[in-house]
Amino acid sequence: MSRHISFERLHNFRDLGGYPTADGHVVRWGRLFRADSLGKLGGADWDRFLDLGVTTVIDLRYPWEIDAKGRVPEHPGLAYHNLSIEHRPYDQPSLGPDVETGPFLAERFMEVAQDGVKELRQALDVIAAPDGGPVVFHCASGKDRTGQLAALVLALLGVPDDVIIEDFALTELATERLLADWRADHGGRSPQWPGYGRAPAEVMRLFLAAMADRYGSVAAYAAQELGADAELVAALRRNLLGPALAFRRADEADVPLLVGLRDAAARWQIARGIDQWHPGELGEDHFRARLADGEVWIATLGTGGPVAGAWELWWDDPAAWGSTPGAAGYVHRLMTARDTAPPGTGRRLLAEAERRIAEAGLGLCRLDCLADNAFLHTYYRAAGYRVVGEQSVKSGVGQGTYAVTLLEKQLTAG
């Protein structure tokens, strides 16, 4: 699925689907969108918007902004709510160049958290309404007010802070077009403030830290200040979350599926310049052997749902680590189904493998990747793994001998 939805005049229209929650659920695609001003809709953009099936629009701007720039066109079946969450206007483009973007905007967000209690609660009620269709909320640039409401909803759904921060920072991809619009409206001159149109991750990181410092968490803030009780949170989850990942041991009937999954993952890597796997290298005999001497696990979207990914779990790995049975669990062939797996699935599979290893009473999870694969090095280090060595002459299918980097993560044994 594509998170960014392309329009001619809208620059920051995004689907909030696909984000994982801490308890294994995933935000459903096509249910909640965030955007810049829908007052710009018209022509082919309007048709594209209608195709999304949106039934409710939440406009977070001041009434005077709407008077100046327009609102979403009226349409049968489209409910419109103007909920201005900001109560202290300020002129971002005219700020001085010495104003630091991160601290300044984080302070404004904290003001909105205090001033906009009534409107923020109303927005949550609209999003949580039973039998409601897809909802889009927006402000002018789809950055600050929109970003703050997105953070609030995602936090209440249980999406981790690092994912919320990443979502906020995606506005950076729209910055140049937002700036171009501003210049076109102001005779070609540029804003005085360098931070205008920017959405550095620091803004959301500082805001979430301030919320944690004052309230304990965003969810605690919502409960205390907005009255967001368990019933409201449950309604949000019913409307917006899809099934949690389910895990099962693979068996003989899954062998063709595993071959296809591995080949598809190899093609995905090659298309992105990652030279690690190649289609056709591992056939059914490989996976039958792994079923016999180790464990192969499959993840699905809900019990019995579409396959989201798979991995192999070994209890010894002499080719890379030497023969050290009982020392660790070894993860191999971590692969996701790119057409069905939501973002973050790979990390969830890795976490489940780590849980299984700890449950077996072992304190280390180990894995390896090609020594020159910078992409995977970064990925695994971000997941808490540390480099502990290199095996320069590992043997593998179709590649002769090659060098691999050895990584491991300390676990809490179960």
Side-chain angles (χ1 to χ4, degrees):
M1 298 288 290
S2 175
R3 182 165 310 287
H4 292 266
I5 298 175
S6 179
F7 290 89
E8 181 64 29
R9 289 288 297 119
L10 301 182
H11 311 317
N12 202 14
F13 198 111
R14 309 204 299 268
D15 193 327
L16 285 169
Y19 288 132
T21 67
D23 62 355
H25 289 267
V26 175
V27 181
R28 293 166 59 191
W29 292 99
R31 297 293 301 175
L32 189 63
F33 303 94
R34 52 175 296 173
D36 46 327
S37 175
L38 299 186
K40 296 183 285 186
L41 282 172
D45 276 357
W46 177 237
D47 293 335
R48 177 74 181 93
F49 176 79
L50 292 177
D51 286 343
L52 296 173
V54 171
T55 61
T56 304
V57 171
I58 300 173
D59 191 334
L60 302 174
R61 296 174 299 164
Y62 291 98
W64 54 263
E65 289 180 280
I66 299 168
D67 290 341
K69 295 292 186 179
R71 48 153 282 183
V72 65
E74 294 188 23
H75 188 267
L78 183 64
Y80 175 78
H81 303 267
N82 178 210
L83 303 173
S84 179
I85 63 174
E86 188 179 271
H87 291 246
R88 308 184 209 184
Y90 62 101
D91 186 7
Q92 279 197 21
S94 300
L95 294 172
D98 58 334
V99 175
E100 295 184 64
T101 306
F104 178 81
L105 289 178
E107 289 178 9
R108 304 292 78 72
F109 286 16
M110 289 300 291
E111 290 175 355
V112 169
Q114 294 302 306
D115 299 344
V117 166
K118 176 183 176 182
E119 293 83 4
L120 286 168
R121 173 54 197 255
Q122 289 176 317
L124 293 179
D125 286 337
V126 170
I127 295 169
D131 303 320
V135 176
V136 57
F137 56 91
H138 74 92
C139 54
S141 297
K143 180 172 75 74
D144 299 327
R145 290 165 286 186
T146 297
Q148 186 165 350
L149 180 55
L152 175 60
V153 174
L154 292 176
L156 290 176
L157 293 175
V159 174
D161 282 0
D162 59 340
V163 178
I164 293 172
I165 292 167
E166 290 173 8
D167 176 74
F168 177 80
L170 286 176
T171 287
E172 291 277 291
L173 299 176
T175 294
E176 287 306 314
R177 295 181 72 191
L178 294 170
L179 280 170
D181 277 359
W182 192 92
R183 295 185 185 107
D185 286 342
H186 294 83
R189 60 189 178 89
S190 294
Q192 180 173 315
W193 188 41
Y196 182 76
R198 296 287 315 285
E202 182 191 22
V203 176
M204 185 55 64
R205 188 177 297 113
L206 290 173
F207 170 62
L208 294 178
M211 293 290 274
D213 183 61
R214 183 174 299 183
Y215 299 101
S217 67
V218 174
Y221 153 80
Q224 177 180 324
E225 300 291 342
L226 308 183
D229 56 16
E231 184 178 351
L232 175 62
V233 174
L236 287 170
R237 291 175 64 88
R238 281 195 301 271
N239 277 3
L240 299 176
L241 293 186
L245 289 179
F247 303 97
R248 63 175 176 83
R249 287 279 294 269
D251 58 27
E252 173 68 25
D254 295 310
V255 167
L257 180 154
L258 292 165
V259 173
L261 190 59
R262 202 271 184 182
D263 284 349
R267 288 190 290 271
W268 182 89
Q269 289 183 7
I270 291 170
R272 284 152 183 80
I274 304 170
D275 186 18
Q276 174 112 2
W277 293 354
H278 299 89
E281 284 178 329
L282 300 182
E284 294 188 359
D285 288 346
H286 166 86
F287 288 103
R288 289 194 180 95
R290 297 294 74 78
L291 289 172
D293 62 17
E295 300 177 6
V296 183
W297 288 84
I298 290 175
T300 58
L301 296 180
T303 303
V307 171
W311 74 94
E312 298 174 12
L313 180 55
W314 301 6
W315 300 110
D316 195 16
D317 186 6
W321 295 84
S323 185
T324 55
Y330 302 83
V331 175
H332 287 274
R333 247 71 61 188
L334 186 74
M335 46 197 178
T336 60
R338 295 288 167 176
D339 55 343
T340 57
T345 294
R347 191 74 66 87
R348 285 281 295 117
L349 303 189
L350 197 54
E352 178 64 16
E354 294 162 3
R355 188 199 64 77
R356 175 75 183 91
I357 293 167
E359 188 179 67
L362 301 176
L364 289 173
C365 180
R366 288 174 169 170
L367 48 83
D368 66 79
C369 65
L370 285 178
D372 60 357
N373 192 326
F375 174 87
L376 282 182
H377 287 192
T378 300
Y379 181 85
Y380 288 124
R381 285 199 299 270
Y385 287 77
R386 64 187 185 94
V387 175
V388 294
E390 184 171 298
Q391 167 61 270
S392 60
V393 289
K394 182 179 179 181
S395 298
V397 178
Q399 300 183 61
T401 59
Y402 52 94
V404 295
T405 299
L406 305 177
L407 303 101
E408 69 179 23
K409 182 177 182 178
Q410 186 72 46
L411 307 177
T412 301

